[in-house]
Amino acid sequence: MTISNSRMFRSLFCMPTFALGADTLSGHAYPEQQQGVWIAKNFQFHTGEVFPELKLGYTTLGRPTGMPVLVLHGTAGTGTGMITNKDFSGELFGPGQPLDANKYFIILPDAIGMGRSSKPSDGLRAKFPKYNYDDMVSAQYRLVTEGLGVKHLHLLIGNSMGGMHAWLWGIKYPDFMDTLVPMAATPSAMSGRNWMMRRLIIDMIRRDPEWMDGNYTIQPKSLQFATVFFNVGTSGGDQGLYRLAPTSERADEVLDKRLTADFKADANDNLYQWESSRDYDPAPHVEKIKARVLAINSEDDERNPPSLGLMDRILARIPDAKLYLIPASPQTSGHGTTAQAKWWKAQVAALLKDAPTK
């Protein structure tokens, strides 16, 4: 099936690349900071549907002559969001830091369905192709190779959904990177609490009368509630949430603040984002990975609980793979811990110090 409407695609997707001031996206002055949109022609989804022009947003830091690094964001995030999160970028991309943008060429793409990349809210709504993680990784590969002309990555690092994408990159393109750092992600089938909670957020929106089969005129009220519900259930950590809410009164204050906060999101975009993980399962193919792997998880990660033992069993099948498990504490935040680079930047720096370079 080919999706076509040339006039609509020209107006929505033909956007120019443009430069940003060095401190536009964060408080740090990163060299050669750029944003842009690249068009992937005739992109075929796993469903067989073909997009004549798939829009792929990206941000880069540093000069193209630097050692290439690919940084992948989580669900509902953006590449730009990885920079504006100072707990992440402020620990990594500055002078002398592990991914100094004066040394590395850092690529931060927007995944399909998010940011400046093509997504349901661009106009197709529920007629947008039902993409999955394989589609998202294929699109990232085309952006990196065809759009930016990169032939090899020194490091690929991803967090949460980006971590799951990192596992798929290692399998689909095993010779394309020297080192692989999947964070807050297990290389096994989407299952258990992780999928159950995703199903609940999906069904909560779909069953809202305001959703109207994706043809809503106002954003369904369930969207913000479902998002807060999901985040409380799958992120924050037991000790971290107790520190924030040691009493019921304090817990109410935390919830009330989240439920009434300014919230800008699109219900269809969110549905697609969560559903795209349904068939994720790299476990049968991890032996294909050739890169040196440093998997980083946290002890209190609700979506990837170490108690299941999945990570240890699967990493044993990868020749050059190690796990760094961040200890839980009142200062960690469960699945959200790895978004704070202070917990793991030393381990990544050590990895890069003696990593092979092709």
Side-chain angles (χ1 to χ4, degrees), residues 112-129:
I112 295 175
M114 300 166 220
R116 297 181 306 280
S117 294
S118 296
K119 52 189 176 294
S121 62
D122 286 341
L124 290 177
R125 297 192 173 196
K127 294 181 181 178
F128 195 86

Side-chain angles (χ1 to χ4, degrees), residues 202-220:
I202 291 165
D203 287 0
M204 203 177 299
I205 296 170
R206 277 216 168 99
R207 295 181 184 187
D208 187 335
E210 292 182 342
W211 184 62
M212 298 171 60
D213 294 325
N215 297 310
Y216 43 84
T217 55
I218 59 171
Q219 290 296 332

Side-chain angles (χ1 to χ4, degrees), residues 259-273:
L259 289 169
T260 58
D262 186 33
F263 186 77
K264 296 179 180 179
D266 181 82
N268 285 331
D269 288 350
N270 271 247
L271 284 176
Y272 273 73
Q273 290 162 15

Side-chain angles (χ1 to χ4, degrees), residues 195-319:
W195 177 248
M196 290 178 183
M197 293 296 289
R198 291 165 191 251
R199 257 290 308 277
L200 288 172
I201 191 172
I202 291 165
D203 287 0
M204 203 177 299
I205 296 170
R206 277 216 168 99
R207 295 181 184 187
D208 187 335
E210 292 182 342
W211 184 62
M212 298 171 60
D213 294 325
N215 297 310
Y216 43 84
T217 55
I218 59 171
Q219 290 296 332
K221 295 183 181 66
S222 58
L223 176 59
Q224 183 168 10
F225 182 87
T227 301
V228 173
F229 172 81
F230 180 83
N231 287 337
V232 170
T234 67
S235 189
D238 293 340
Q239 296 182 62
L241 286 178
Y242 182 77
R243 176 176 60 84
L244 290 176
T247 65
S248 60
E249 291 81 10
R250 182 65 187 126
D252 283 340
E253 291 175 11
V254 172
L255 278 180
D256 289 342
K257 183 176 180 179
R258 296 183 183 185
L259 289 169
T260 58
D262 186 33
F263 186 77
K264 296 179 180 179
D266 181 82
N268 285 331
D269 288 350
N270 271 247
L271 284 176
Y272 273 73
Q273 290 162 15
W274 295 115
E275 285 190 319
S276 64
S277 66
R278 176 188 288 274
D279 59 356
Y280 168 78
D281 185 12
H285 311 290
V286 294
E287 283 86 357
K288 296 179 181 178
I289 296 174
K290 296 181 182 180
R292 178 174 293 182
V293 176
L294 174 64
I296 301 176
N297 278 17
S298 54
E299 282 185 342
D300 53 355
D301 187 337
E302 301 88 343
R303 303 181 203 178
N304 304 279
S307 58
L308 294 178
L310 294 172
M311 185 67 82
D312 292 333
R313 292 197 296 271
I314 295 174
L315 287 186
R317 295 162 47 197
I318 304 173

